[in-house]
Amino acid sequence: MPLILGIDTSCDDTSCAIVSNGRDILSNVVASQIEDHAEYGGVVPEIACRKHLENIIWVIRKALSDAHCTLGDLSAIAVTHGPGLVGALLVGIGVAKALAYSRNLPLIAVNHLEGHIISPFLAPNVECHFPFVSLVVSGGHTNLYVVKRLGEYELVGRTVDDAAGEAFDKVAKALSLGYPGGPIIESLAGKSGADCVAFPSPMIKHDNYNFSFSGLKTAVLNYLRFDLQIASSDEVSDKMGPDLLSKVCAGFQRAVFNVLLQKTLRLASSRGASLIALGGGVSANGALRKAFSEAAEQAGLLAIFPPPSLSTDNAAMIAGAAFHHLEEGQASALDLDATPNLTL
Ligand code: KG4
Ligand code: ZN
């Protein structure tokens, strides 16, 4: 049973996990930096790197002790080498190299996006039917893949501007709601009742699988400025009651999810895929899960999601993805570098 220690420091979470056999999570420790970045309304790279340095050693120690194992029990060290913030990635890579070198273990470089793709399968009894369609919907990416087998990912569509999670964060900032925006908008949208403020779903009619969310963010800003005469986010609480605020959140969220849903279902049907797997922070959203589950069932498909704790960034998905690389003998050399714009 290969036991893999995974590390992810790609953005603002410092995470280490121990995964057995590519699927069984023995531990998954995530040190969040949300409080350190909240006052800036987004991730500050310099702060993220310094926090990773502070956190990485205790996070690794805790992952080992939670899993009741020692470094001597491990089969490999896996680490995210991109995409992400270069300084943040280098913290994880440096520590992973030291562990691999000192214990004479294979070092497995993992693409963070591959981690999100495999995250719904990190549970017992979740079956994988190839080809399947994967939607990675996070703060940095909105990518649609056809997965032909593990390791063979065809990128069929992506956002041409902002990622869906980024749009949640920017709209939340404009509404003075705090960071990260996704969970706050989800909770307010849940209070809106049936009707909401209607916003357009960008590119929904385009005959391709790409997305665009920056125009939708602008539509929300224009609604605030021109319909409600709100010139800056400081005026939101005075000029907008809780009822209208929740209707705006619900309308924005619905516009994002409509286009994600339609294009993902269309791709699944055009490629004969019966399985849709979602991953990434936005896939933690309950309304998104409900919409995908219901629509997939109506179309005779199955939509699967990671548990919410594995939707957002974590190292269990990195250790899980490393398993098939290890099986195929794909270890990295110790001069492994960070690749901030790594694609999949
Ligand atoms: O996957 P992730 O942790 O980091 C990246 O790889 O980007 O995703 C973070 C993103 C943030 O933009 C956050 O606002 C969004 O995921 N997010 C959500 C929810 N939880 C996190 N978006 C919508 N609904 C949520 N419940
Ligand atoms: Zn991520």
Side-chain angles (χ1 to χ4, degrees):
M1 291 275 176
L3 205 60
I4 300 182
L5 180 148
I7 294 174
D8 184 84
T9 58
S10 56
C11 190
D12 61 336
D13 290 310
T14 316
S15 184
C16 180
I18 314 284
V19 174
S20 163
N21 224 16
R23 205 174 250 260
D24 302 325
I25 302 173
L26 305 189
S27 65
N28 183 34
V29 181
V30 182
S32 165
Q33 300 178 8
I34 283 178
E35 285 180 10
D36 302 293
H37 301 281
E39 67 176 292
Y40 305 100
V43 176
V44 182
E46 175 80 16
I47 295 176
C49 305
R50 289 172 186 275
K51 283 282 153 192
H52 286 313
L53 276 175
E54 273 176 41
N55 291 336
I56 187 80
I57 299 299
W58 73 258
V59 166
I60 291 173
R61 285 210 170 110
K62 182 159 172 33
L64 286 164
S65 87
D66 285 1
H68 304 292
C69 68
T70 67
L71 291 173
D73 300 321
L74 300 174
S75 320
I77 306 292
V79 65
T80 301
H81 68 122
L85 304 169
V86 64
L89 291 163
L90 285 171
V91 175
I93 291 173
V95 175
K97 282 182 186 181
L99 289 173
Y101 179 70
S102 62
R103 306 302 307 193
N104 199 21
L105 291 170
L107 175 70
I108 316 261
V110 176
N111 187 314
H112 183 80
L113 294 165
E114 186 179 27
H116 279 307
I117 290 174
I118 67 102
S119 61
F121 301 100
L122 287 172
N125 308 323
V126 182
E127 301 228 343
C128 204
H129 304 282
F130 297 106
F132 67 86
V133 165
S134 168
L135 173 65
V136 176
V137 63
S138 69
H141 295 88
T142 306
N143 288 356
L144 252 183
Y145 297 94
V146 173
V147 181
K148 293 165 187 167
R149 60 174 188 88
L150 287 184
E152 197 176 338
Y153 309 104
E154 180 189 349
L155 178 63
V156 182
R158 61 185 182 83
T159 179
V160 297
D161 43 52
D162 292 352
E166 189 180 354
F168 270 87
D169 296 335
K170 287 179 173 172
V171 165
K173 196 170 181 180
L175 292 170
S176 230
L177 295 177
Y179 172 84
I184 309 171
I185 290 183
E186 173 179 12
S187 144
L188 288 170
K191 298 175 184 154
S192 78
D195 60 329
C196 59
V197 178
F199 294 109
S201 285
M203 292 179 77
I204 199 160
K205 297 245 157 63
H206 291 211
D207 190 19
N208 60 34
Y209 296 106
N210 288 335
F211 305 99
S212 161
F213 296 107
S214 107
L216 172 59
K217 172 202 67 193
T218 307
V220 176
L221 295 182
N222 286 344
Y223 175 77
L224 298 180
R225 180 170 307 167
F226 300 115
D227 293 49
L228 305 181
Q229 312 294 317
I230 294 175
S232 85
S233 57
D234 303 338
E235 298 174 19
V236 168
S237 56
D238 289 342
K239 296 200 175 168
M240 240 174 139
D243 221 40
L244 183 55
L245 184 61
S246 61
K247 287 185 182 356
V248 169
C249 289
F252 162 74
Q253 185 173 277
R254 185 177 295 181
V256 174
F257 296 165
N258 271 347
V259 64
L260 292 176
L261 184 58
Q262 286 216 16
K263 293 207 170 185
T264 307
L265 285 178
R266 184 149 55 80
L267 179 61
S269 104
S270 85
R271 296 299 186 90
S274 60
L275 180 67
I276 294 172
L278 280 84
V282 181
S283 75
N285 187 291
L288 176 87
R289 287 167 179 248
K290 187 163 180 283
F292 267 80
S293 299
E294 287 174 0
E297 195 181 341
Q298 269 184 12
L301 311 174
L302 178 66
I304 61 169
F305 317 87
S309 62
L310 298 182
S311 290
T312 47
D313 287 348
N314 66 88
M317 68 186 193
I318 303 306
F323 178 66
H324 79 92
H325 293 291
L326 183 68
E327 280 199 313
E328 289 167 24
Q330 297 165 349
S332 292
L334 285 175
D335 62 355
L336 175 70
D337 200 357
T339 309
N341 296 322
L342 188 65
T343 54
L344 184 69

